[in-house]
Each structure stands twice: as structure tokens, then as C-alpha cells.
Amino acid sequence: SVGAVTSYNFPNVTANHTIAASFAIDIHTITASAGANGAIAPSGAVPVSHGASQAFTITPDTCYHVADVLVDGGSVGAVTSYNFPNVTANHTIAASFARDTFTIAASAGANGSITPGGAVPVLCGASQAFTIAPDPGYHVADVLVDGGSVGAVTGYNFPNVTANHTIAASFAIDTHTLTVTVVGGGSVTKNPSQASYDHGASVQLTAAPDSGWAFTGWSGDTSGVANPVTLVMTADKAVTATFADTAGPALLVVAPNGGELLGIGSTATLSWTATDNVAVTAVDLFLSRAGAAGPYDSLATGLGNSGSYGWTVTGPATTDAFLKVIARDAAGNARFDLSDAAFTITSGVGVESGAVTDFELAPVWPNPLRGSARIGFAVPRACGLRLSVLDIQGREVAVLADGAYAPGRHQAEWDAAARGGARPGLYFVRLRVPGRVLVRRVVMTR
């Protein structure tokens, strides 16, 4: 063998010779290479017979893609396969790779923001966090991730991103409650009157005192005495309206109220009516023996508002007695009333003084009478009785006492002109007590 020569010379031929040539197909080389984060197959120096074809497969690693493929130094694009047909020369093929990038489209509705926003690029496998911030006076209503609700969250994280995503935040205005409490007698109106109010809304409060009360001021989330007052709702609020009792009790002396005759030593029922817009807390009783102008002596103080008080009549006697009643309420308001006219305290009219041991009906005084008469009676024990005036035919023309009486001495008055308009003539005063009837005669003149 003289080797794979393409020519041979026989110099100075002096004998017979032979020469034999053999042939083999040409082999070409395709050098295949791949950059980081991917592979090409086959790779390295790939022999290819002349005229044959050779295909290559380009495979990126996870989270990567083919960036470019260079064939003989020229780009054929980001292809994942390439075929060399009819190879008649050596070639090169080189693949490069790039990391995948995904987009998260982040959007926020009115009255808030999302950060970052817009089209946010994220490398494959990486994480991306978002912060959702409502404007003042608003809150997150909902957050949709890829169209599905994840709740009213203020932050969201996409871990290990391997696809495109969307995130959309929506917002709603804050609402607040207004609680109004009333102390005392009065009411408060809200304008507008609602169960809740949008953030920043204005509410006007107007305090209206009840009769006998006065508005004294606001406390809580507003103060002062301005009425009405306007609140701006920036949070849940609570306000108290306070009213003060300014009205004294309504009071009327019932008895003795003028014209009565009270015997010293007898038990007189002092009575009154008293009402208040809240409550009467104390009643004081005073007596003047010198007319309406006084001076007044104390009979009893700090009584409950029972409406009556049993008083054992004391001297000295007088024809110018007046009862003064003072009623008070818890706020310190007080009012008083006097007997409409003078009444008499005497030791010489009515049943005799001393201990009561039996039922008694005193003689009518004066007798005969023209206008009114005073009638004394006594009961030794508590009982029901009826004291009335009868005409000559036995008909009741006036009832002076009817009901239960405590033991002791009592007085009644018959104003003949006022009670039934009795005419002059003979009348009888009758006292009915358990088991007995006592009668006194009286004459009315013109």
C-alpha cells in the first residue's frame, strides 16, 4: 500500500507491475453544542456520511426555553429541532437557552392600589408578593386571583410561578355606626336616621327635652351644648345627650283647705296631692296660726308622698290657721301650696278632748246655721263609717265622710250651699258606725 493517494508514478519501468485503488465514502463532522440549562442530542463531534442527513433535538431544562440556535454561525431561530439534509461538508450547530418569564397582570379598582401594579414579569420558579392598600375611609372588598376570590386580603403571594396569572383588587367605602344614649327626660333625632353611615358622611343630632326638662349638653364623641350638632362619621361613634329635671312637683293642698274646724287633741287628716315628672321624693308640712304670711312652724319633714298625714291637733287655738305643704324632687326642685283660706283650731267645739273610749258625734256648730257647719266625731278603733246629712224625709242630701277611719277625733264640714243647695229647714246629721247609728239635729235658716 502506498496509502490513500490520488496519483502514483512508476518511474523507469523495467518489469510488470500492478496498481489497485480502493475507495470509501466521505465522512463529514457536525459539531453540536448546547449552552447552560439545556441539551442537544446528539452532541459533540457527530460524523455524518457524505450525502446523508442528520437531525438534532434541542431540549431546554425546566423553567427554560430555547433562546437561539446557530447553524454554521447563523441563527435559525429558537427551534427545538434541526435537520441537516445531504451533508456534503462539515457543519456546526450551537443551542443557547434562556430562563422562562411569566407575567402577572395586577390591577386595582377605584379607591385603592396594588403594588406592584400592571404587567409584572416573574422568572419561572420565583415568587411574587403583592400589597393591597385601600384609600383612607375604604377597605378591601375582594381580591380575585385568576378570576377566583381569595377574600378581602391586604397581601397575596404567588409562590413558584410557572404560568401567567392575574390578580385584581376591589374596594368599598367604610361604614360606621352611631349610638345615641339619653340620660334624663328627652329624645334625640338623627338626620339622616340610618343604621350605619358611609365614611365621611355628616349626621345632624337634635336634642329635644321633654316637658319639665332642659338639655344640658353632649358627651362622648362630641361635647358642648350646641343644639343641633353635626358629626362627621370617620369611625364608629357614641354620643350621650343629658337632660336635667327643671320642673318642680305639681302640688295642691286638699285639707284643711279653708273653713274647717279642728279641735285641739283630735286627730286631723292633713292631705295633699303631689306629682312630678320623675318622682316626689319628700314632703314637708308646716302650720301658721297667724295667717297666710306666717310665720310657719314645722309639723313634719321628709315624709313620703303618701298624700295624707295624721296630725294630733295642738294649741294654741286660732281662727287664722293655714297649712303649708312643700314637695321636693330628686333634682332639688321644690314647690309649695297653702290652704286656700283660713281654718280654725279650737278647744271648745266638737267632741270633747281626751281619750276616745266610744263612738261620739258632737253637736253641729253653729246651730242654727246659714252657710256651713263643722261637725266633730270620734271613733275608738279603726273602722268603716259614713257621715251624712238627711232632710226631714230621710233622704241623704250630703255625704261628709265615707270609708275607713283611724281611731281618734275627726272633723267634717257641711257647706250647705255648695253641697246640693239645701234649703232652709230641719236636717239631721247621721253617723253610721259598726253596730250603731248616732244622730244630731241642725236647723238651716235664711
Side-chain angles (χ1 to χ4, degrees), residues 355-390:
V356 179
T357 60
D358 199 359
F359 294 104
E360 302 176 27
L361 177 62
V364 179
W365 183 87
N367 190 5
L369 63 87
R370 290 185 178 180
S372 62
R374 295 171 178 80
I375 303 156
F377 61 95
V379 292
R381 63 181 182 275
C383 66
L385 59 84
R386 184 178 181 90
L387 180 66
S388 57
V389 179
L390 285 68

PDB file of all heavy atoms in Angstrom, residues 355-390:
ATOM      1  N   ALA A 355    -109.123  60.988 125.901  1.00  0.00           N
ATOM      2  CA  ALA A 355    -109.062  59.686 125.258  1.00  0.00           C
ATOM      3  C   ALA A 355    -110.424  59.314 124.707  1.00  0.00           C
ATOM      4  O   ALA A 355    -111.467  59.594 125.308  1.00  0.00           O
ATOM      5  CB  ALA A 355    -108.591  58.636 126.261  1.00  0.00           C
ATOM      6  N   VAL A 356    -110.440  58.688 123.550  1.00  0.00           N
ATOM      7  CA  VAL A 356    -111.673  58.243 122.907  1.00  0.00           C
ATOM      8  C   VAL A 356    -111.934  56.817 123.342  1.00  0.00           C
ATOM      9  O   VAL A 356    -111.156  55.908 123.053  1.00  0.00           O
ATOM     10  CB  VAL A 356    -111.567  58.340 121.375  1.00  0.00           C
ATOM     11  CG1 VAL A 356    -112.865  57.844 120.727  1.00  0.00           C
ATOM     12  CG2 VAL A 356    -111.266  59.759 120.935  1.00  0.00           C
ATOM     13  N   THR A 357    -113.032  56.636 124.027  1.00  0.00           N
ATOM     14  CA  THR A 357    -113.389  55.296 124.526  1.00  0.00           C
ATOM     15  C   THR A 357    -114.647  54.750 123.879  1.00  0.00           C
ATOM     16  O   THR A 357    -114.976  53.581 124.058  1.00  0.00           O
ATOM     17  CB  THR A 357    -113.565  55.332 126.049  1.00  0.00           C
ATOM     18  OG1 THR A 357    -114.624  56.253 126.368  1.00  0.00           O
ATOM     19  CG2 THR A 357    -112.274  55.755 126.733  1.00  0.00           C
ATOM     20  N   ASP A 358    -115.354  55.610 123.131  1.00  0.00           N
ATOM     21  CA  ASP A 358    -116.596  55.179 122.499  1.00  0.00           C
ATOM     22  C   ASP A 358    -116.827  56.038 121.254  1.00  0.00           C
ATOM     23  O   ASP A 358    -116.160  57.060 121.051  1.00  0.00           O
ATOM     24  CB  ASP A 358    -117.773  55.339 123.461  1.00  0.00           C
ATOM     25  CG  ASP A 358    -118.974  54.495 123.026  1.00  0.00           C
ATOM     26  OD1 ASP A 358    -118.863  53.825 121.983  1.00  0.00           O
ATOM     27  OD2 ASP A 358    -119.994  54.523 123.734  1.00  0.00           O
ATOM     28  N   PHE A 359    -117.746  55.603 120.415  1.00  0.00           N
ATOM     29  CA  PHE A 359    -118.121  56.402 119.260  1.00  0.00           C
ATOM     30  C   PHE A 359    -118.825  57.666 119.728  1.00  0.00           C
ATOM     31  O   PHE A 359    -119.678  57.626 120.622  1.00  0.00           O
ATOM     32  CB  PHE A 359    -119.037  55.602 118.328  1.00  0.00           C
ATOM     33  CG  PHE A 359    -118.353  54.427 117.694  1.00  0.00           C
ATOM     34  CD1 PHE A 359    -118.597  53.126 118.149  1.00  0.00           C
ATOM     35  CD2 PHE A 359    -117.460  54.610 116.654  1.00  0.00           C
ATOM     36  CE1 PHE A 359    -117.965  52.049 117.563  1.00  0.00           C
ATOM     37  CE2 PHE A 359    -116.828  53.517 116.063  1.00  0.00           C
ATOM     38  CZ  PHE A 359    -117.067  52.253 116.523  1.00  0.00           C
ATOM     39  N   GLU A 360    -118.481  58.794 119.118  1.00  0.00           N
ATOM     40  CA  GLU A 360    -119.060  60.072 119.519  1.00  0.00           C
ATOM     41  C   GLU A 360    -119.419  60.873 118.272  1.00  0.00           C
ATOM     42  O   GLU A 360    -118.720  60.836 117.265  1.00  0.00           O
ATOM     43  CB  GLU A 360    -118.066  60.885 120.367  1.00  0.00           C
ATOM     44  CG  GLU A 360    -117.584  60.190 121.625  1.00  0.00           C
ATOM     45  CD  GLU A 360    -116.537  61.011 122.356  1.00  0.00           C
ATOM     46  OE1 GLU A 360    -116.550  62.252 122.224  1.00  0.00           O
ATOM     47  OE2 GLU A 360    -115.678  60.409 123.029  1.00  0.00           O
ATOM     48  N   LEU A 361    -120.505  61.615 118.362  1.00  0.00           N
ATOM     49  CA  LEU A 361    -120.899  62.584 117.341  1.00  0.00           C
ATOM     50  C   LEU A 361    -121.228  63.877 118.077  1.00  0.00           C
ATOM     51  O   LEU A 361    -122.193  63.944 118.862  1.00  0.00           O
ATOM     52  CB  LEU A 361    -122.125  62.101 116.544  1.00  0.00           C
ATOM     53  CG  LEU A 361    -122.660  63.076 115.486  1.00  0.00           C
ATOM     54  CD1 LEU A 361    -121.613  63.358 114.416  1.00  0.00           C
ATOM     55  CD2 LEU A 361    -123.940  62.523 114.853  1.00  0.00           C
ATOM     56  N   ALA A 362    -120.405  64.905 117.849  1.00  0.00           N
ATOM     57  CA  ALA A 362    -120.565  66.174 118.569  1.00  0.00           C
ATOM     58  C   ALA A 362    -121.737  66.952 118.017  1.00  0.00           C
ATOM     59  O   ALA A 362    -122.152  66.761 116.857  1.00  0.00           O
ATOM     60  CB  ALA A 362    -119.286  66.984 118.448  1.00  0.00           C
ATOM     61  N   PRO A 363    -122.257  67.873 118.802  1.00  0.00           N
ATOM     62  CA  PRO A 363    -123.320  68.747 118.288  1.00  0.00           C
ATOM     63  C   PRO A 363    -122.804  69.568 117.104  1.00  0.00           C
ATOM     64  O   PRO A 363    -121.629  69.924 117.025  1.00  0.00           O
ATOM     65  CB  PRO A 363    -123.643  69.644 119.483  1.00  0.00           C
ATOM     66  CG  PRO A 363    -123.199  68.870 120.685  1.00  0.00           C
ATOM     67  CD  PRO A 363    -121.989  68.104 120.236  1.00  0.00           C
ATOM     68  N   VAL A 364    -123.712  69.815 116.170  1.00  0.00           N
ATOM     69  CA  VAL A 364    -123.360  70.608 114.989  1.00  0.00           C
ATOM     70  C   VAL A 364    -123.110  72.044 115.426  1.00  0.00           C
ATOM     71  O   VAL A 364    -123.856  72.609 116.246  1.00  0.00           O
ATOM     72  CB  VAL A 364    -124.472  70.539 113.943  1.00  0.00           C
ATOM     73  CG1 VAL A 364    -124.110  71.394 112.729  1.00  0.00           C
ATOM     74  CG2 VAL A 364    -124.747  69.095 113.532  1.00  0.00           C
ATOM     75  N   TRP A 365    -122.042  72.623 114.849  1.00  0.00           N
ATOM     76  CA  TRP A 365    -121.714  74.007 115.211  1.00  0.00           C
ATOM     77  C   TRP A 365    -121.405  74.794 113.954  1.00  0.00           C
ATOM     78  O   TRP A 365    -120.632  74.313 113.105  1.00  0.00           O
ATOM     79  CB  TRP A 365    -120.484  74.022 116.142  1.00  0.00           C
ATOM     80  CG  TRP A 365    -120.130  75.412 116.608  1.00  0.00           C
ATOM     81  CD1 TRP A 365    -120.637  76.063 117.685  1.00  0.00           C
ATOM     82  CD2 TRP A 365    -119.192  76.303 116.001  1.00  0.00           C
ATOM     83  NE1 TRP A 365    -120.086  77.299 117.820  1.00  0.00           N
ATOM     84  CE2 TRP A 365    -119.182  77.480 116.776  1.00  0.00           C
ATOM     85  CE3 TRP A 365    -118.367  76.246 114.871  1.00  0.00           C
ATOM     86  CZ2 TRP A 365    -118.385  78.583 116.474  1.00  0.00           C
ATOM     87  CZ3 TRP A 365    -117.580  77.335 114.587  1.00  0.00           C
ATOM     88  CH2 TRP A 365    -117.593  78.505 115.374  1.00  0.00           C
ATOM     89  N   PRO A 366    -121.992  75.980 113.774  1.00  0.00           N
ATOM     90  CA  PRO A 366    -123.054  76.590 114.609  1.00  0.00           C
ATOM     91  C   PRO A 366    -124.415  75.970 114.306  1.00  0.00           C
ATOM     92  O   PRO A 366    -124.593  75.350 113.262  1.00  0.00           O
ATOM     93  CB  PRO A 366    -123.003  78.046 114.172  1.00  0.00           C
ATOM     94  CG  PRO A 366    -122.544  77.993 112.754  1.00  0.00           C
ATOM     95  CD  PRO A 366    -121.584  76.849 112.675  1.00  0.00           C
ATOM     96  N   ASN A 367    -125.340  76.160 115.184  1.00  0.00           N
ATOM     97  CA  ASN A 367    -126.690  75.637 115.028  1.00  0.00           C
ATOM     98  C   ASN A 367    -127.654  76.584 115.745  1.00  0.00           C
ATOM     99  O   ASN A 367    -127.536  76.760 116.964  1.00  0.00           O
ATOM    100  CB  ASN A 367    -126.787  74.249 115.641  1.00  0.00           C
ATOM    101  CG  ASN A 367    -128.094  73.544 115.302  1.00  0.00           C
ATOM    102  OD1 ASN A 367    -128.898  74.050 114.526  1.00  0.00           O
ATOM    103  ND2 ASN A 367    -128.296  72.372 115.905  1.00  0.00           N
ATOM    104  N   PRO A 368    -128.501  77.224 114.981  1.00  0.00           N
ATOM    105  CA  PRO A 368    -128.771  77.093 113.542  1.00  0.00           C
ATOM    106  C   PRO A 368    -127.618  77.651 112.698  1.00  0.00           C
ATOM    107  O   PRO A 368    -126.772  78.371 113.183  1.00  0.00           O
ATOM    108  CB  PRO A 368    -130.057  77.871 113.358  1.00  0.00           C
ATOM    109  CG  PRO A 368    -130.091  78.843 114.472  1.00  0.00           C
ATOM    110  CD  PRO A 368    -129.388  78.201 115.641  1.00  0.00           C
ATOM    111  N   LEU A 369    -127.635  77.271 111.428  1.00  0.00           N
ATOM    112  CA  LEU A 369    -126.558  77.693 110.526  1.00  0.00           C
ATOM    113  C   LEU A 369    -127.151  78.386 109.323  1.00  0.00           C
ATOM    114  O   LEU A 369    -128.322  78.202 108.978  1.00  0.00           O
ATOM    115  CB  LEU A 369    -125.703  76.489 110.093  1.00  0.00           C
ATOM    116  CG  LEU A 369    -126.364  75.378 109.271  1.00  0.00           C
ATOM    117  CD1 LEU A 369    -126.312  75.704 107.792  1.00  0.00           C
ATOM    118  CD2 LEU A 369    -125.705  74.057 109.564  1.00  0.00           C
ATOM    119  N   ARG A 370    -126.310  79.177 108.661  1.00  0.00           N
ATOM    120  CA  ARG A 370    -126.715  79.858 107.424  1.00  0.00           C
ATOM    121  C   ARG A 370    -125.917  79.362 106.215  1.00  0.00           C
ATOM    122  O   ARG A 370    -126.471  79.246 105.131  1.00  0.00           O
ATOM    123  CB  ARG A 370    -126.532  81.369 107.579  1.00  0.00           C
ATOM    124  CG  ARG A 370    -127.519  82.005 108.524  1.00  0.00           C
ATOM    125  CD  ARG A 370    -127.361  83.506 108.521  1.00  0.00           C
ATOM    126  NE  ARG A 370    -128.334  84.153 109.388  1.00  0.00           N
ATOM    127  CZ  ARG A 370    -128.413  85.474 109.570  1.00  0.00           C
ATOM    128  NH1 ARG A 370    -127.575  86.277 108.911  1.00  0.00           N
ATOM    129  NH2 ARG A 370    -129.322  85.983 110.381  1.00  0.00           N
ATOM    130  N   GLY A 371    -124.621  79.125 106.444  1.00  0.00           N
ATOM    131  CA  GLY A 371    -123.779  78.712 105.306  1.00  0.00           C
ATOM    132  C   GLY A 371    -123.183  77.335 105.510  1.00  0.00           C
ATOM    133  O   GLY A 371    -123.602  76.366 104.907  1.00  0.00           O
ATOM    134  N   SER A 372    -122.209  77.233 106.405  1.00  0.00           N
ATOM    135  CA  SER A 372    -121.526  75.953 106.608  1.00  0.00           C
ATOM    136  C   SER A 372    -121.485  75.623 108.089  1.00  0.00           C
ATOM    137  O   SER A 372    -121.552  76.509 108.945  1.00  0.00           O
ATOM    138  CB  SER A 372    -120.115  75.998 106.033  1.00  0.00           C
ATOM    139  OG  SER A 372    -119.347  76.978 106.697  1.00  0.00           O
ATOM    140  N   ALA A 373    -121.368  74.341 108.361  1.00  0.00           N
ATOM    141  CA  ALA A 373    -121.308  73.851 109.736  1.00  0.00           C
ATOM    142  C   ALA A 373    -120.101  72.931 109.886  1.00  0.00           C
ATOM    143  O   ALA A 373    -119.678  72.281 108.927  1.00  0.00           O
ATOM    144  CB  ALA A 373    -122.594  73.118 110.096  1.00  0.00           C
ATOM    145  N   ARG A 374    -119.585  72.851 111.080  1.00  0.00           N
ATOM    146  CA  ARG A 374    -118.471  71.956 111.408  1.00  0.00           C
ATOM    147  C   ARG A 374    -118.980  70.865 112.327  1.00  0.00           C
ATOM    148  O   ARG A 374    -119.680  71.150 113.307  1.00  0.00           O
ATOM    149  CB  ARG A 374    -117.334  72.741 112.046  1.00  0.00           C
ATOM    150  CG  ARG A 374    -116.719  73.748 111.073  1.00  0.00           C
ATOM    151  CD  ARG A 374    -115.744  74.668 111.788  1.00  0.00           C
ATOM    152  NE  ARG A 374    -115.111  75.608 110.865  1.00  0.00           N
ATOM    153  CZ  ARG A 374    -115.672  76.719 110.411  1.00  0.00           C
ATOM    154  NH1 ARG A 374    -116.891  77.044 110.798  1.00  0.00           N
ATOM    155  NH2 ARG A 374    -115.038  77.515 109.560  1.00  0.00           N
ATOM    156  N   ILE A 375    -118.618  69.660 112.004  1.00  0.00           N
ATOM    157  CA  ILE A 375    -119.156  68.500 112.713  1.00  0.00           C
ATOM    158  C   ILE A 375    -117.990  67.650 113.180  1.00  0.00           C
ATOM    159  O   ILE A 375    -117.154  67.214 112.373  1.00  0.00           O
ATOM    160  CB  ILE A 375    -120.080  67.676 111.801  1.00  0.00           C
ATOM    161  CG1 ILE A 375    -121.216  68.582 111.286  1.00  0.00           C
ATOM    162  CG2 ILE A 375    -120.627  66.457 112.518  1.00  0.00           C
ATOM    163  CD1 ILE A 375    -121.819  68.122 110.006  1.00  0.00           C
ATOM    164  N   GLY A 376    -117.891  67.448 114.503  1.00  0.00           N
ATOM    165  CA  GLY A 376    -116.852  66.602 115.057  1.00  0.00           C
ATOM    166  C   GLY A 376    -117.370  65.223 115.370  1.00  0.00           C
ATOM    167  O   GLY A 376    -118.527  65.045 115.756  1.00  0.00           O
ATOM    168  N   PHE A 377    -116.506  64.223 115.175  1.00  0.00           N
ATOM    169  CA  PHE A 377    -116.881  62.860 115.535  1.00  0.00           C
ATOM    170  C   PHE A 377    -115.612  62.113 115.952  1.00  0.00           C
ATOM    171  O   PHE A 377    -114.486  62.537 115.652  1.00  0.00           O
ATOM    172  CB  PHE A 377    -117.593  62.149 114.389  1.00  0.00           C
ATOM    173  CG  PHE A 377    -116.774  61.993 113.138  1.00  0.00           C
ATOM    174  CD1 PHE A 377    -116.059  60.828 112.875  1.00  0.00           C
ATOM    175  CD2 PHE A 377    -116.714  63.026 112.189  1.00  0.00           C
ATOM    176  CE1 PHE A 377    -115.306  60.701 111.724  1.00  0.00           C
ATOM    177  CE2 PHE A 377    -115.968  62.894 111.039  1.00  0.00           C
ATOM    178  CZ  PHE A 377    -115.259  61.738 110.802  1.00  0.00           C
ATOM    179  N   ALA A 378    -115.818  61.024 116.724  1.00  0.00           N
ATOM    180  CA  ALA A 378    -114.685  60.260 117.237  1.00  0.00           C
ATOM    181  C   ALA A 378    -114.984  58.782 117.121  1.00  0.00           C
ATOM    182  O   ALA A 378    -116.139  58.354 117.216  1.00  0.00           O
ATOM    183  CB  ALA A 378    -114.399  60.640 118.695  1.00  0.00           C
ATOM    184  N   VAL A 379    -113.909  58.002 116.864  1.00  0.00           N
ATOM    185  CA  VAL A 379    -114.038  56.542 116.807  1.00  0.00           C
ATOM    186  C   VAL A 379    -112.954  55.946 117.693  1.00  0.00           C
ATOM    187  O   VAL A 379    -111.811  56.402 117.710  1.00  0.00           O
ATOM    188  CB  VAL A 379    -113.906  56.032 115.362  1.00  0.00           C
ATOM    189  CG1 VAL A 379    -115.089  56.484 114.522  1.00  0.00           C
ATOM    190  CG2 VAL A 379    -112.608  56.486 114.718  1.00  0.00           C
ATOM    191  N   PRO A 380    -113.307  54.968 118.508  1.00  0.00           N
ATOM    192  CA  PRO A 380    -112.317  54.387 119.439  1.00  0.00           C
ATOM    193  C   PRO A 380    -111.375  53.390 118.779  1.00  0.00           C
ATOM    194  O   PRO A 380    -110.352  53.028 119.349  1.00  0.00           O
ATOM    195  CB  PRO A 380    -113.209  53.706 120.475  1.00  0.00           C
ATOM    196  CG  PRO A 380    -114.433  53.304 119.704  1.00  0.00           C
ATOM    197  CD  PRO A 380    -114.653  54.406 118.697  1.00  0.00           C
ATOM    198  N   ARG A 381    -111.719  52.951 117.587  1.00  0.00           N
ATOM    199  CA  ARG A 381    -110.881  51.967 116.890  1.00  0.00           C
ATOM    200  C   ARG A 381    -111.031  52.173 115.384  1.00  0.00           C
ATOM    201  O   ARG A 381    -111.976  52.825 114.931  1.00  0.00           O
ATOM    202  CB  ARG A 381    -111.297  50.538 117.260  1.00  0.00           C
ATOM    203  CG  ARG A 381    -112.714  50.190 116.833  1.00  0.00           C
ATOM    204  CD  ARG A 381    -113.096  48.773 117.249  1.00  0.00           C
ATOM    205  NE  ARG A 381    -114.430  48.420 116.811  1.00  0.00           N
ATOM    206  CZ  ARG A 381    -115.545  48.712 117.483  1.00  0.00           C
ATOM    207  NH1 ARG A 381    -115.458  49.371 118.643  1.00  0.00           N
ATOM    208  NH2 ARG A 381    -116.727  48.345 117.000  1.00  0.00           N
ATOM    209  N   ALA A 382    -110.115  51.671 114.612  1.00  0.00           N
ATOM    210  CA  ALA A 382    -110.207  51.796 113.160  1.00  0.00           C
ATOM    211  C   ALA A 382    -111.446  51.078 112.659  1.00  0.00           C
ATOM    212  O   ALA A 382    -111.720  49.929 113.063  1.00  0.00           O
ATOM    213  CB  ALA A 382    -108.961  51.223 112.502  1.00  0.00           C
ATOM    214  N   CYS A 383    -112.198  51.745 111.811  1.00  0.00           N
ATOM    215  CA  CYS A 383    -113.416  51.125 111.311  1.00  0.00           C
ATOM    216  C   CYS A 383    -113.888  51.888 110.079  1.00  0.00           C
ATOM    217  O   CYS A 383    -113.422  52.976 109.772  1.00  0.00           O
ATOM    218  CB  CYS A 383    -114.510  51.123 112.377  1.00  0.00           C
ATOM    219  SG  CYS A 383    -115.084  52.789 112.812  1.00  0.00           S
ATOM    220  N   GLY A 384    -114.870  51.314 109.399  1.00  0.00           N
ATOM    221  CA  GLY A 384    -115.535  51.998 108.311  1.00  0.00           C
ATOM    222  C   GLY A 384    -116.741  52.746 108.844  1.00  0.00           C
ATOM    223  O   GLY A 384    -117.455  52.252 109.737  1.00  0.00           O
ATOM    224  N   LEU A 385    -116.985  53.935 108.314  1.00  0.00           N
ATOM    225  CA  LEU A 385    -118.117  54.740 108.787  1.00  0.00           C
ATOM    226  C   LEU A 385    -118.665  55.555 107.627  1.00  0.00           C
ATOM    227  O   LEU A 385    -118.022  55.713 106.584  1.00  0.00           O
ATOM    228  CB  LEU A 385    -117.691  55.640 109.951  1.00  0.00           C
ATOM    229  CG  LEU A 385    -116.556  56.639 109.707  1.00  0.00           C
ATOM    230  CD1 LEU A 385    -117.073  57.931 109.067  1.00  0.00           C
ATOM    231  CD2 LEU A 385    -115.860  56.962 111.029  1.00  0.00           C
ATOM    232  N   ARG A 386    -119.873  56.118 107.864  1.00  0.00           N
ATOM    233  CA  ARG A 386    -120.482  57.011 106.881  1.00  0.00           C
ATOM    234  C   ARG A 386    -121.161  58.143 107.651  1.00  0.00           C
ATOM    235  O   ARG A 386    -122.030  57.896 108.510  1.00  0.00           O
ATOM    236  CB  ARG A 386    -121.505  56.276 106.013  1.00  0.00           C
ATOM    237  CG  ARG A 386    -122.120  57.131 104.896  1.00  0.00           C
ATOM    238  CD  ARG A 386    -123.090  56.290 104.070  1.00  0.00           C
ATOM    239  NE  ARG A 386    -123.699  57.039 102.977  1.00  0.00           N
ATOM    240  CZ  ARG A 386    -123.213  57.144 101.753  1.00  0.00           C
ATOM    241  NH1 ARG A 386    -122.045  56.550 101.471  1.00  0.00           N
ATOM    242  NH2 ARG A 386    -123.842  57.818 100.809  1.00  0.00           N
ATOM    243  N   LEU A 387    -120.756  59.355 107.366  1.00  0.00           N
ATOM    244  CA  LEU A 387    -121.316  60.552 107.983  1.00  0.00           C
ATOM    245  C   LEU A 387    -122.058  61.311 106.889  1.00  0.00           C
ATOM    246  O   LEU A 387    -121.455  61.719 105.889  1.00  0.00           O
ATOM    247  CB  LEU A 387    -120.207  61.428 108.575  1.00  0.00           C
ATOM    248  CG  LEU A 387    -120.655  62.719 109.249  1.00  0.00           C
ATOM    249  CD1 LEU A 387    -121.476  62.423 110.503  1.00  0.00           C
ATOM    250  CD2 LEU A 387    -119.437  63.587 109.594  1.00  0.00           C
ATOM    251  N   SER A 388    -123.375  61.488 107.077  1.00  0.00           N
ATOM    252  CA  SER A 388    -124.167  62.119 106.032  1.00  0.00           C
ATOM    253  C   SER A 388    -125.226  63.034 106.646  1.00  0.00           C
ATOM    254  O   SER A 388    -125.483  63.004 107.848  1.00  0.00           O
ATOM    255  CB  SER A 388    -124.839  61.055 105.151  1.00  0.00           C
ATOM    256  OG  SER A 388    -125.640  60.184 105.947  1.00  0.00           O
ATOM    257  N   VAL A 389    -125.834  63.873 105.776  1.00  0.00           N
ATOM    258  CA  VAL A 389    -126.889  64.800 106.176  1.00  0.00           C
ATOM    259  C   VAL A 389    -128.190  64.347 105.513  1.00  0.00           C
ATOM    260  O   VAL A 389    -128.216  64.086 104.292  1.00  0.00           O
ATOM    261  CB  VAL A 389    -126.541  66.240 105.765  1.00  0.00           C
ATOM    262  CG1 VAL A 389    -127.672  67.187 106.166  1.00  0.00           C
ATOM    263  CG2 VAL A 389    -125.226  66.670 106.398  1.00  0.00           C
ATOM    264  N   LEU A 390    -129.266  64.248 106.300  1.00  0.00           N
ATOM    265  CA  LEU A 390    -130.559  63.803 105.809  1.00  0.00           C
ATOM    266  C   LEU A 390    -131.555  64.940 105.945  1.00  0.00           C
ATOM    267  O   LEU A 390    -131.503  65.734 106.905  1.00  0.00           O
ATOM    268  CB  LEU A 390    -131.067  62.596 106.583  1.00  0.00           C
ATOM    269  CG  LEU A 390    -130.417  61.236 106.300  1.00  0.00           C
ATOM    270  CD1 LEU A 390    -128.974  61.207 106.783  1.00  0.00           C
ATOM    271  CD2 LEU A 390    -131.209  60.115 106.956  1.00  0.00           C
TER     272      LEU A 390
END
